[in-house]
Amino acid sequence: MAEPRKLLPGLDTPLETRLKLLPTFNPDRDAFGRFAERFARYMGTPQFLVYMTFFCVLWLGWNTLAPQEFQFDPKSLNFTLLTLLLSLQASYAAPLILLAQNRQDDRDRVQIEQDRSRNERNLADTEYLTRELASLRLAMREVATRDFIRAEVRAELRSIIDELSEQNGAAGNSGKRRKDKKDRAARSQEEQTLEPAEQGAHSAGEASEQ
């Protein structure tokens, strides 16, 4: 009979921890990353290019024009040592530049997240202000405006002026009536005083005639 096939552990099954013979080397990522950024930043400057060009020109000139016994990287060997140095520099420069680029990508990602959250807050604030302005406009339709208040005040003032004019007219008419009554009373008193005098004069005339 065939032996039963052993099932491999699934993806949800954690693997067993294995003993490591050598301790893991875990340097400070921040310090190493800062060094990589400085190195990459310095390699991208004109100063580094000028220094590197001067070094290569000096190396090639010495190993070409110097006497044979003083040449340490002769031209006959196609400057093998210089080629190895440049290859070693390139092999170390590329990972350092990639590490600096990764750190820059992480910073850009964090900055993008912050910008996104800031834009979301600004959008929420803008929507809130828009709703508040709309509610204020709706409320202002029910509130009396300046022109409406002026019209109402003018109408009230006109009504008060009309009432005062009517009261003044009524007071003038009552004063005229009182004056007429006083004139009539004075006339009646004058007539009453004149009647005895006329009667006395009339009796005196009759006596003289007799």
Side-chain angles (χ1 to χ4, degrees):
M1 296 179 64
E3 295 181 358
R5 186 177 179 181
K6 294 181 180 181
L7 298 177
L8 296 176
L11 295 176
D12 55 347
T13 303
L15 296 176
E16 296 179 358
T17 58
R18 298 178 181 179
L19 296 176
K20 296 182 180 180
L21 299 177
L22 297 176
T24 57
F25 178 68
N26 190 10
D28 189 2
R29 293 184 178 181
D30 292 334
F32 198 75
R34 288 193 295 270
F35 170 75
E37 287 179 349
R38 292 174 183 174
F39 181 77
R41 191 177 295 110
Y42 178 72
M43 287 186 66
T45 58
Q47 185 179 4
F48 175 78
L49 296 176
V50 171
Y51 289 164
M52 193 69 188
T53 304
F54 180 75
F55 173 77
C56 292
V57 169
L58 183 62
W59 184 290
L60 294 174
W62 177 266
N63 291 289
T64 302
L65 301 176
Q68 189 70 28
E69 60 272 10
F70 293 106
Q71 294 180 5
F72 54 87
D73 189 14
K75 183 180 179 181
S76 59
L77 298 178
N78 295 323
F79 306 108
T80 306
L81 184 59
L82 179 62
T83 304
L84 291 175
L85 289 176
L86 294 178
S87 300
L88 182 64
Q89 179 190 0
S91 63
Y92 274 97
L96 291 174
I97 293 173
L98 290 176
L99 180 59
Q101 186 65 34
N102 292 333
R103 284 174 60 87
Q104 185 63 36
D105 292 339
D106 294 337
R107 282 196 295 268
D108 293 339
R109 190 179 300 108
V110 172
Q111 186 66 31
I112 290 171
E113 293 294 333
Q114 291 178 356
D115 293 339
R116 184 182 293 110
S117 62
R118 190 181 298 109
N119 292 331
E120 290 178 356
R121 289 195 299 270
N122 292 333
L123 181 60
D125 294 339
T126 304
E127 292 178 353
Y128 174 74
L129 292 175
T130 304
R131 290 193 298 269
E132 289 294 325
L133 289 175
S135 62
L136 287 175
R137 287 179 180 177
L138 293 175
M140 286 298 293
R141 293 179 181 177
E142 300 177 357
V143 176
T145 59
R146 185 182 298 176
D147 297 333
F148 177 77
I149 293 173
R150 287 179 179 177
E152 290 293 328
V153 170
R154 288 176 182 175
E156 291 292 332
L157 290 175
R158 287 177 182 175
S159 62
I160 292 171
I161 290 170
D162 294 337
E163 290 178 359
L164 290 175
S165 61
E166 290 178 359
Q167 291 178 1
N168 291 330
N173 294 329
S174 61
K176 288 181 180 179
R177 291 176 182 176
R178 291 176 182 176
K179 189 175 181 181
D180 294 337
K181 290 180 179 180
K182 289 181 180 180
D183 293 339
R184 291 177 183 176
R187 289 177 183 176
S188 61
Q189 289 179 359
E190 289 178 357
E191 290 177 354
Q192 290 177 1
T193 54
L194 289 175
E195 284 180 357
E198 288 179 355
Q199 290 179 0
H202 184 67
S203 61
E206 290 179 352
S208 61
E209 288 179 357
Q210 292 178 0

Short mmCIF file of all heavy atoms in Angstrom, two decimals, residues 7 13 23 32 46 48 58 74 88 121 136 147 149 151 167 173 188 207:
data_model
loop_
_atom_site.label_atom_id
_atom_site.label_comp_id
_atom_site.label_asym_id
_atom_site.label_seq_id
_atom_site.Cartn_x
_atom_site.Cartn_y
_atom_site.Cartn_z
N LEU A 7 0.31 16.30 4.39
CA LEU A 7 -0.26 17.59 4.01
C LEU A 7 0.64 18.71 4.50
O LEU A 7 1.11 18.71 5.64
CB LEU A 7 -1.67 17.73 4.59
CG LEU A 7 -2.70 16.70 4.11
CD1 LEU A 7 -4.03 16.92 4.83
CD2 LEU A 7 -2.90 16.80 2.61
N THR A 13 -1.46 28.65 9.15
CA THR A 13 -0.75 27.94 10.22
C THR A 13 0.64 28.54 10.37
O THR A 13 1.42 28.56 9.41
CB THR A 13 -0.63 26.45 9.87
OG1 THR A 13 -1.94 25.92 9.65
CG2 THR A 13 0.06 25.69 10.99
N PRO A 23 23.64 34.91 15.42
CA PRO A 23 22.68 35.98 15.80
C PRO A 23 22.45 36.92 14.61
O PRO A 23 23.35 37.17 13.79
CB PRO A 23 23.39 36.68 16.96
CG PRO A 23 24.85 36.41 16.75
CD PRO A 23 24.93 35.04 16.11
N PHE A 32 21.71 54.40 9.88
CA PHE A 32 22.21 53.95 8.59
C PHE A 32 21.48 54.64 7.44
O PHE A 32 22.10 54.96 6.42
CB PHE A 32 22.04 52.43 8.49
CG PHE A 32 22.88 51.82 7.42
CD1 PHE A 32 24.24 51.66 7.59
CD2 PHE A 32 22.30 51.39 6.23
CE1 PHE A 32 25.02 51.09 6.60
CE2 PHE A 32 23.08 50.82 5.24
CZ PHE A 32 24.44 50.66 5.42
N PRO A 46 27.86 68.67 -7.74
CA PRO A 46 28.99 68.90 -8.68
C PRO A 46 30.35 68.74 -8.01
O PRO A 46 31.33 68.40 -8.68
CB PRO A 46 28.75 70.33 -9.15
CG PRO A 46 27.31 70.60 -8.89
CD PRO A 46 26.96 69.82 -7.67
N PHE A 48 31.32 66.45 -5.86
CA PHE A 48 31.75 65.05 -5.95
C PHE A 48 32.22 64.70 -7.36
O PHE A 48 33.23 63.99 -7.54
CB PHE A 48 30.60 64.13 -5.53
CG PHE A 48 30.89 62.68 -5.70
CD1 PHE A 48 31.68 61.99 -4.78
CD2 PHE A 48 30.39 61.98 -6.80
CE1 PHE A 48 31.95 60.65 -4.95
CE2 PHE A 48 30.67 60.64 -6.97
CZ PHE A 48 31.44 59.97 -6.04
N LEU A 58 44.29 62.08 -12.24
CA LEU A 58 45.56 61.93 -11.56
C LEU A 58 46.04 60.47 -11.58
O LEU A 58 47.24 60.19 -11.81
CB LEU A 58 45.43 62.42 -10.12
CG LEU A 58 46.71 62.39 -9.27
CD1 LEU A 58 47.79 63.31 -9.87
CD2 LEU A 58 46.40 62.81 -7.83
N PRO A 74 49.69 49.75 -14.00
CA PRO A 74 50.22 50.11 -15.31
C PRO A 74 49.17 50.05 -16.41
O PRO A 74 48.14 49.39 -16.30
CB PRO A 74 51.33 49.07 -15.53
CG PRO A 74 50.95 47.91 -14.70
CD PRO A 74 50.24 48.48 -13.49
N LEU A 88 33.75 48.67 -7.29
CA LEU A 88 33.40 48.57 -5.87
C LEU A 88 32.60 49.79 -5.42
O LEU A 88 31.62 49.65 -4.66
CB LEU A 88 34.69 48.44 -5.06
CG LEU A 88 34.52 48.26 -3.55
CD1 LEU A 88 33.80 46.96 -3.25
CD2 LEU A 88 35.88 48.30 -2.86
N ARG A 121 -10.34 66.93 5.97
CA ARG A 121 -10.83 67.87 6.98
C ARG A 121 -11.28 69.18 6.34
O ARG A 121 -12.32 69.74 6.73
CB ARG A 121 -9.73 68.14 8.01
CG ARG A 121 -9.45 66.97 8.93
CD ARG A 121 -8.64 67.43 10.14
NE ARG A 121 -7.37 67.98 9.76
CZ ARG A 121 -6.25 67.29 9.64
NH1 ARG A 121 -6.26 65.98 9.86
NH2 ARG A 121 -5.11 67.88 9.30
N LEU A 136 -28.54 79.81 7.04
CA LEU A 136 -28.65 81.24 7.32
C LEU A 136 -29.47 81.96 6.26
O LEU A 136 -30.26 82.85 6.56
CB LEU A 136 -27.26 81.86 7.42
CG LEU A 136 -26.45 81.53 8.69
CD1 LEU A 136 -25.05 82.10 8.59
CD2 LEU A 136 -27.15 82.08 9.93
N ASP A 147 -35.17 97.15 4.58
CA ASP A 147 -36.19 97.86 3.81
C ASP A 147 -37.59 97.64 4.39
O ASP A 147 -38.41 98.56 4.46
CB ASP A 147 -36.15 97.40 2.35
CG ASP A 147 -34.83 97.74 1.69
OD1 ASP A 147 -34.20 98.73 2.14
OD2 ASP A 147 -34.44 97.05 0.73
N ILE A 149 -38.29 96.96 7.51
CA ILE A 149 -38.39 97.71 8.77
C ILE A 149 -38.61 99.19 8.48
O ILE A 149 -39.42 99.86 9.14
CB ILE A 149 -37.12 97.49 9.61
CG1 ILE A 149 -37.06 96.03 10.08
CG2 ILE A 149 -37.09 98.43 10.80
CD1 ILE A 149 -35.78 95.67 10.77
N ALA A 151 -40.07 100.50 5.84
CA ALA A 151 -41.44 100.69 5.37
C ALA A 151 -42.43 100.64 6.52
O ALA A 151 -43.37 101.44 6.60
CB ALA A 151 -41.76 99.62 4.32
N GLN A 167 -56.59 114.47 16.12
CA GLN A 167 -56.79 114.97 17.48
C GLN A 167 -56.70 116.49 17.54
O GLN A 167 -57.50 117.14 18.23
CB GLN A 167 -55.77 114.34 18.42
CG GLN A 167 -55.99 112.85 18.65
CD GLN A 167 -54.93 112.26 19.54
OE1 GLN A 167 -54.03 112.97 19.99
NE2 GLN A 167 -55.04 110.96 19.80
N ASN A 173 -61.95 122.10 16.80
CA ASN A 173 -63.41 122.20 16.68
C ASN A 173 -64.07 122.37 18.04
O ASN A 173 -65.01 123.17 18.21
CB ASN A 173 -63.96 120.95 16.00
CG ASN A 173 -63.50 120.85 14.54
OD1 ASN A 173 -63.31 121.90 13.89
ND2 ASN A 173 -63.33 119.65 14.04
N SER A 188 -75.88 137.15 25.36
CA SER A 188 -77.12 137.06 26.13
C SER A 188 -77.04 137.93 27.39
O SER A 188 -78.02 138.59 27.78
CB SER A 188 -77.39 135.60 26.51
OG SER A 188 -76.32 135.10 27.31
N ALA A 207 -92.75 159.70 30.65
CA ALA A 207 -93.05 160.68 31.72
C ALA A 207 -92.86 162.10 31.25
O ALA A 207 -93.64 163.01 31.57
CB ALA A 207 -92.19 160.38 32.94
#
